[in-house]
Amino acid sequence: MDDNVEKYQSDKKRRSPKMCGSNYPLSIAFIVVNEFCERFSYYGMKAVLTLYFIHYLHWNKNLSTAVYHAFSGLCYFTPIIGAIIADSWLGKFKTIIYLSIVYVIGHVIKSVGAIPDVGDSTVHISLSMLGLILIAFGTGGIKPCVAAFGGDQFEEEHTEERRKFFSIFYMSINAGSVLSTIITPILRGDVQCFGGDCYALAFGVPAALMVIATVVFIAGSGLYNKGPPEGNVLLNVCKCIGCAISNRWRRPKNSPKRDHWLDWISATQKYSSNSLKLAAGLHITVHVLIMITFPFVWCQGSRWTLQATRMNMDFMLNALLILVFIPIFDMGVYPLIGLCRIKLTPLRKMAAGMILAALAFCAATVVEVNVIVCKSSFALYYWFTICLFFFSQDPNSLTHNKMVDVQPNNIHIAWQIPQYVLITAGEVMFSITGLEFSYSQAPASMKSVLQAGWLLTVAFGNVIVLIVAEGAGMEQWTEFLLFAALLVAVSIIFSIMSYFYTYADPDQLNKLFNEEANEGNMDDLKKEKDRMHMKDLPKGTKM
């Protein structure tokens, strides 16, 4: 047993003190505050990013939109890098600290690039792009680690407290995003510096919040349960897969049949406790990834902004509803369902979330095709421009002309509320549950990797939206209807898969292999492994 493992087991015995006599470790308070400040930092910077491109760097709208979405996409593809670093080399704690420093440096560079006196436009663009790249790697790299690290703080028997932690964690994300989206645009527009809008301050405040996030996280260092890295997980996984394929290909004709292709790893004499545990863990991971890779759920929100008078308002409505719905579901809806003797498993919650998302798209379709007649003076689309004309011949003459940019229709803006209520309820049931599910089902060596896989579904969802929106050339209502149909189909497939899914207990798997390895009973372990096969280990769907 190496020094890292010994230190980890020593840390487990010296658990963090609990909050107010509950089973919640005090250490999670530092993690939740860290997440709140980090999300404030991220969304606060993004709230004025497009305006910065257009009004400060003087880019056109197409280029500004393209760079904005490229940056957003990069933020959701980089989590896999942070997850591999955390699970393979540094561990979650060190990965969060080091990448948070990269994150802070990116914010500082971005803020400096918004100071007019620092160089010319080329320097401003260069600093801005460098800052955004560092921010993308920082925020993406720590994203899968923070949630998994928070889950690591709970003892194995406190599963209900851990489930509620992920709800609190998700609330901190939305609380930080709501406040930052309100505050940073005010800082940009209401505070004047360098003879114009103060983008340096609007970017500087998020930078300061990221510094606070890093300091708060480090402050809780003595309370954390810090798991050791498991070595180069990616390399070991590749070796494991290669060994299984090789043994399967070279098998003798009279070799016994094996229930799963990964069972072939034990066909060689070059096995070890770690390789057998990795094979079993990989089997779990593959099936969990199959269950959580349903990006159609994330094909929402961004395509509804054309129905709203202001983009920030529709984002605010969704975020505010999340803050309201999380306690309602945790303290009201779920207990009531339990009283009805309905077993609401995580996968059933996620399936229900998909159905609610499909209903939300149906509601958006109804609004889009104007099938509901509502005689109201408030219009969903009603934008106009007032032009003032002044004639030099007559100083007292001032006339105006109102030009309607978007024609009004007969649907009250309140008809949008149902779709946001439905999509938010679906997000609470799908996203928070999926976050906890991907953590609880992951082997210890792959928890961050699975969190990264979960986050990648967000990126793929946005890619799907981009392909459909830009490539299909559909009308808005047909696009909404398409997404609703896709969600219904996916929810049916997901429900069938959920029925055959057997929930894993990765902690029990670790205990089995660790105890056998420590006692040196490798022969017994192999016999037990050959007897059990993959079908008897913690597993996923029978596919």
Side-chain angles (χ1 to χ4, degrees), residues 165-291:
F165 158 75
F166 283 104
S167 294
I168 297 170
F169 185 83
Y170 206 77
M171 285 185 70
S172 70
I173 292 173
N174 286 276
S177 64
V178 166
L179 289 177
S180 64
T181 307
I182 295 172
I183 293 172
T184 51
I186 293 175
L187 294 175
R188 177 198 68 87
D190 292 359
V191 179
Q192 297 293 306
C193 59
F194 306 107
D197 291 340
C198 199
Y199 286 101
L201 180 62
F203 291 139
V205 170
L209 263 293
M210 191 58 220
V211 172
I212 294 173
T214 307
V215 171
V216 168
F217 184 78
I218 295 174
S221 176
L223 301 174
Y224 296 139
N225 172 26
K226 307 168 188 173
E230 299 281 338
N232 194 330
V233 175
L234 183 62
L235 180 60
N236 291 335
V237 165
C238 293
K239 287 182 178 179
C240 178
I241 293 174
C243 180
I245 294 174
S246 176
N247 290 337
R248 171 70 174 78
W249 184 260
R250 299 176 183 177
R251 74 188 191 283
K253 293 183 179 180
N254 59 348
S255 59
K257 182 180 178 181
R258 298 179 185 265
D259 296 285
H260 193 276
W261 65 274
L262 282 173
D263 283 335
W264 286 98
I265 191 173
S266 62
T268 178
Q269 296 301 314
K270 297 179 181 180
Y271 59 84
S272 65
S273 173
N274 286 336
S275 62
L276 296 180
K277 182 174 73 172
L278 182 64
L282 181 60
H283 180 263
I284 298 171
T285 302
V286 168
H287 286 290
V288 175
L289 280 173
I290 292 173
M291 294 302 298

Side-chain angles (χ1 to χ4, degrees), residues 27 29-42 93 96-101 103-104 107 139 142 146 205-221 224:
S27 55
F30 294 87
I31 296 171
V32 169
V33 173
N34 165 269
E35 184 66 11
F36 169 83
C37 294
E38 189 274 326
R39 290 290 85 186
F40 187 108
S41 170
Y42 175 75
F93 177 73
I96 293 170
I97 291 178
Y98 293 157
L99 290 182
S100 291
I101 294 172
Y103 200 161
V104 170
H107 267 304
T139 187
I142 68 175
V146 176
V205 170
L209 263 293
M210 191 58 220
V211 172
I212 294 173
T214 307
V215 171
V216 168
F217 184 78
I218 295 174
S221 176
Y224 296 139

Side-chain angles (χ1 to χ4, degrees), residues 17 44 128 156 164 185 233 238 246 305 310 329 332 346 363 464 511 513 524-526:
S128 297
E156 295 169 6
K164 290 182 178 179
V233 175
C238 293
S246 176
T305 55
R310 292 180 63 192
F329 273 75
I464 291 171
K511 285 182 180 178
F513 283 97
D524 293 339
L525 177 60
K526 183 177 184 297

Side-chain angles (χ1 to χ4, degrees), residues 24 154 156-165 330:
Y24 293 92
F154 291 84
E156 295 169 6
E157 61 271 20
H158 298 150
T159 55
E160 182 62 21
E161 287 81 2
R162 185 179 64 198
R163 185 191 67 79
K164 290 182 178 179
F165 158 75
D330 278 346

Side-chain angles (χ1 to χ4, degrees), residues 322-366:
I322 286 175
L323 295 177
V324 174
F325 278 15
I326 288 176
I328 289 176
F329 273 75
D330 278 346
M331 295 185 289
V333 176
Y334 295 150
L336 284 175
I337 294 175
L339 289 175
C340 296
R341 297 184 179 179
I342 299 174
K343 188 177 181 181
L344 196 60
T345 63
L347 292 178
R348 287 180 181 176
K349 288 183 190 178
M350 293 171 70
M354 291 184 186
I355 294 171
L356 288 172
L359 291 175
F361 273 106
C362 291
T365 305
V366 169

